Amino acid sequence: MKTMTKRIASMALAVMMAVVMLASALPTKAFAAATGDLTITSTSAEFKGKTVMAWKMFDATVGAKGAVGYQLAKEWEPFFTSTNLTDFQGDGLTGAVLSQKAYEYVSTLGDTDAEKVVAFAKKAAAWAKDTKNNVTAPSTAVAVANQDSTKYEAKFDSLSYGYYVVSPQDGSTGNNKRGTTAMLVNVKEAATEAQLKSEYPTVDKTVDDSDRSEGSDAQIGDTLKFTLTSKVPDLNECEYFNFRFVDTLSKGLTLDKSSIVVKIKDKTLTLSNDNLATGQYTVGTEEVADPQGATKLTITLKDLVKLAKGVGFTDITAGDSITVTYSATLNKDAAVGTDPNGDNTNSAKVEWGTKNETDYDGSSNEDKTHTYTFDFKIKKTDDAQPTANPLADAEFQIKKNGEDAPMKLVVVSEGSDTAPRIVRLAISPDDDTAAKTEVATPKSGLITFQGFDAGTYKLVETKAPDGYNKLKDEIAVVITPTYKQDDGTLQSYEVTFDAQKPTDGIFVIVNKKGIELPETGGMGTILFTLVGAAAIGYGIYRKRTAKTVA
């Protein structure tokens, strides 16, 4: 039994030694393929959320002194033996011979982004995406913001060393210089970073009534002009490029559809009413629930690939501007001041697709404009003290600074003994029948005036309550907003009355009781005359009566 145990132990030891000797004879890489991380970066926020694909064309090994050896991946052999490359003859070649010839061909194309390198990348990416070529599904990574949001990154973890064809999600287009979305990247160390050499469509939205492109102020009834700007993508790699603007106007903005103008560079496109059969763009509108009561405006351009080949558009090039302009009126539903329910925001994005005629699976980030309108509040009392009594039936007008005619107002809420009367600026012609130039205080003495632009106004008391004297002078009302520089949103606004800022936001206007004015003469003389006349009349009556009796 002991002998058998010794024999088994000897055999086990021999096997272990053999394994150790075999392991020491083989290179480490035979057990664990070398891998590295690949990160594709972009400073454009549009890259966030987009998918990047990577196919390995060549396997790579790295020597001790950094020398790199390449071996063509088996599934890529048909790419080099087909007619894809007119200047490469691979017919009849296979295995190591084809691999060496393919390596020599690629290595002599030129430096980074040389014309031949870019053309090769474009052909390789298109071939890999074609499902009939049965290329293994690519490695994929989705772009996210980096830690400090200074750039956006799509990171591939632990890719085996090799030469990769990299392509971003459909819709990214090459710039004028490169003319392709495709990239060629060597992964041959622990970490490799490459910058995205293409870009996704973006939109810039502005409102042009102020020097703040994304923020403005206006009074109810004002018409604002909006501009959407994008640019023509590189269409060289696309069979289709569907493109549309999607703009959402808040409930406080009323679109004027007749004002819409669409241009590419300096050429105005023609509106179509039959699904782009005759014209070059269509316009669609619908009310949406989010935000409540908003209007969704969709402007769809004809497939840009077809449009670029159309009459008068043969000179379209990547980078040419695409612009949409339209007008909208600030209406009676406009949010006022810093109303948390909204700031009359107008947001826009572009959507696109390249797969077929109905594809719109790509989307840009939204760009927004903000339009603000303001209010101010007064209280009519009989004294400046906190215990003062509110006064009803004091009537006021509002005039724009420098104008004589009073502004027209519409009562939104009548008010009560505790609540303010709320009035807004009238919008002609809809409010003509309800509009008035004077508004009276309710029992609470409070009035809130809404819908005013930034600037200076005159508050005029035209009638005082019975028993009180009317104000002699107008009150200067000045509305001054402060905007954030980065995005044009309202930070705060201040209202002053004759250069005074009320501490609680409500300006108190005091009416004094009328004092009885002095008179000349008096009621005494009249009274004595009447009494004397009555006494004389009574004496005459008595005398006549006595004579009759006698």
Side-chain angles (χ1 to χ4, degrees):
M1 187 68 180
K2 290 182 179 180
T3 303
M4 180 65 69
T5 302
K6 288 182 178 179
R7 288 180 180 177
I8 293 173
S10 298
M11 291 174 62
L13 179 61
V15 171
M16 289 175 63
M17 291 178 64
V19 171
V20 170
M21 291 176 64
L22 179 61
S24 64
L26 292 174
T28 303
K29 290 179 182 177
F31 288 93
T35 63
D37 297 337
L38 170 62
T39 303
I40 306 299
T41 69
S42 174
T43 57
S44 172
E46 309 304 323
F47 186 42
K48 182 179 179 182
K50 301 302 188 296
T51 300
V52 180
M53 299 169 286
W55 296 267
K56 185 169 65 170
M57 179 184 286
F58 286 88
D59 291 303
T61 57
V62 180
K65 295 184 179 181
V68 184
Y70 293 95
Q71 178 68 43
L72 181 65
K74 183 71 175 177
E75 63 181 356
W76 277 86
E77 288 185 358
F79 175 69
F80 286 91
T81 57
S82 65
T83 57
N84 292 286
L85 306 172
T86 57
D87 54 347
F88 179 82
Q89 299 299 322
D91 292 350
L93 301 179
T94 59
V97 176
L98 177 60
S99 177
Q100 181 61 26
K101 292 280 289 185
Y103 163 75
E104 291 172 355
Y105 172 78
V106 176
S107 65
T108 58
L109 289 174
D111 296 328
T112 301
D113 277 347
E115 184 177 349
K116 287 185 176 181
V117 174
V118 171
F120 176 77
K122 180 178 178 179
K123 290 180 180 179
W127 187 84
K129 292 177 184 178
D130 192 336
T131 55
K132 72 175 182 289
N133 293 319
N134 298 315
V135 181
T136 301
S139 300
T140 60
V142 177
V144 297
N146 69 347
Q147 199 165 25
D148 57 2
S149 296
T150 56
K151 61 183 178 181
Y152 302 86
E153 302 173 338
K155 186 176 181 181
F156 297 85
D157 294 323
S158 301
L159 291 180
S160 59
Y161 279 7
Y163 187 64
Y164 285 83
V165 178
V166 178
S167 180
Q169 184 175 325
D170 287 350
S172 175
T173 60
N175 55 37
N176 287 332
K177 182 179 179 181
R178 294 189 80 252
T180 184
T181 65
M183 303 167 64
L184 299 171
V185 181
N186 271 299
V187 177
K188 54 185 179 61
E189 51 193 359
T192 301
E193 183 174 308
Q195 186 175 359
L196 185 69
K197 297 179 179 180
S198 57
E199 58 188 24
Y200 289 91
T202 61
V203 63
D204 180 42
K205 185 172 183 59
T206 60
V207 54
D208 70 355
D209 74 325
S210 76
D211 56 357
R212 297 176 307 280
S213 63
E214 295 180 332
S216 66
D217 41 67
Q219 71 181 42
I220 287 178
D222 280 353
T223 297
L224 308 171
K225 184 178 180 181
F226 295 92
T227 302
L228 312 178
T229 305
S230 190
K231 61 183 180 180
V232 175
D234 191 318
L235 304 173
N236 289 327
E237 294 183 72
C238 304
E239 183 178 356
Y240 305 96
F241 206 103
N242 308 319
F243 189 87
R244 64 190 179 196
F245 292 89
V246 180
D247 195 333
T248 303
L249 290 76
S250 74
K251 187 178 181 180
L253 292 165
T254 301
L255 171 69
D256 177 6
K257 286 180 67 174
S258 67
S259 68
I260 296 173
V261 176
V262 183
K263 291 185 176 183
I264 293 184
K265 207 159 49 176
D266 56 354
K267 184 174 179 61
T268 302
L269 275 62
T270 56
L271 176 64
S272 173
N273 294 315
D274 51 2
N275 297 320
L276 300 173
T278 58
Q280 294 159 329
Y281 73 94
T282 60
V283 173
T285 58
E286 61 177 308
E287 185 173 319
V288 293
D290 186 20
Q292 186 176 10
T295 299
K296 179 181 177 182
L297 166 65
T298 303
I299 298 174
T300 304
L301 274 65
K302 197 167 190 173
D303 169 16
L304 293 182
V305 175
K306 292 180 181 178
L307 191 61
K309 297 176 182 178
V311 177
F313 282 94
T314 54
D315 59 343
I316 283 182
T317 57
D320 286 347
S321 63
I322 306 175
T323 59
V324 173
T325 58
Y326 67 84
S327 297
T329 301
L330 196 64
N331 63 40
K332 62 183 179 61
D333 295 318
V336 177
T338 53
D339 185 341
N341 294 320
D343 59 4
N344 311 305
T345 299
N346 194 340
S347 61
K349 62 182 178 179
V350 289
E351 295 178 340
W352 66 86
T354 60
K355 293 183 177 66
N356 52 55
E357 292 180 340
T358 59
D359 173 37
Y360 286 96
D361 67 349
S363 177
S364 74
N365 292 327
E366 288 187 335
D367 195 31
K368 298 180 179 181
T369 61
H370 311 270
T371 301
Y372 298 90
T373 191
F374 306 104
D375 63 0
F376 58 90
K377 302 171 183 178
I378 66 168
K379 183 174 184 179
K380 194 70 171 173
T381 66
D382 63 356
D383 198 283
Q385 300 302 316
T387 56
N389 297 311
L391 296 178
D393 300 324
E395 295 184 3
F396 291 92
Q397 290 180 341
I398 302 290
K399 296 180 180 179
K400 228 173 188 177
N401 193 41
E403 297 182 5
D404 294 329
M407 304 177 82
K408 290 186 176 182
L409 304 168
V410 172
V411 175
V412 177
S413 175
E414 292 291 348
S416 66
D417 55 353
T418 57
R421 178 162 289 165
I422 299 174
V423 299
R424 62 166 173 81
L425 286 176
I427 304 173
S428 296
D430 295 342
D431 292 334
D432 277 352
T433 56
K436 56 182 71 177
T437 57
E438 293 175 317
V439 60
T441 54
K443 289 182 179 180
S444 64
L446 296 164
I447 302 179
T448 298
F449 296 91
Q450 295 183 338
F452 291 81
D453 198 352
T456 302
Y457 301 86
K458 299 294 184 182
L459 180 64
V460 184
E461 185 176 44
T462 58
K463 178 182 177 296
D466 292 343
Y468 292 83
N469 292 326
K470 182 168 67 70
L471 294 182
K472 182 178 68 172
D473 298 321
E474 300 173 338
I475 298 172
V477 181
V478 181
I479 303 172
T480 307
T482 301
Y483 293 93
K484 296 178 183 178
Q485 293 299 314
D486 55 347
D487 61 2
T489 56
L490 181 68
Q491 183 171 314
S492 62
Y493 71 101
E494 178 181 271
V495 182
T496 60
F497 300 81
D498 282 343
Q500 301 175 56
K501 182 181 177 182
T503 55
D504 59 356
I506 301 174
F507 186 67
V508 177
I509 302 173
V510 178
N511 275 132
K512 296 295 185 181
K513 287 184 178 180
I515 300 174
E516 197 168 329
L517 300 178
E519 302 176 359
T520 57
M523 292 299 291
T525 304
I526 299 174
L527 180 60
F528 291 145
T529 302
L530 291 174
V531 172
I536 294 170
Y538 180 72
I540 295 171
Y541 170 76
R542 291 285 293 172
K543 186 175 182 180
R544 288 180 178 175
T545 303
K547 286 181 178 180
T548 304
V549 174

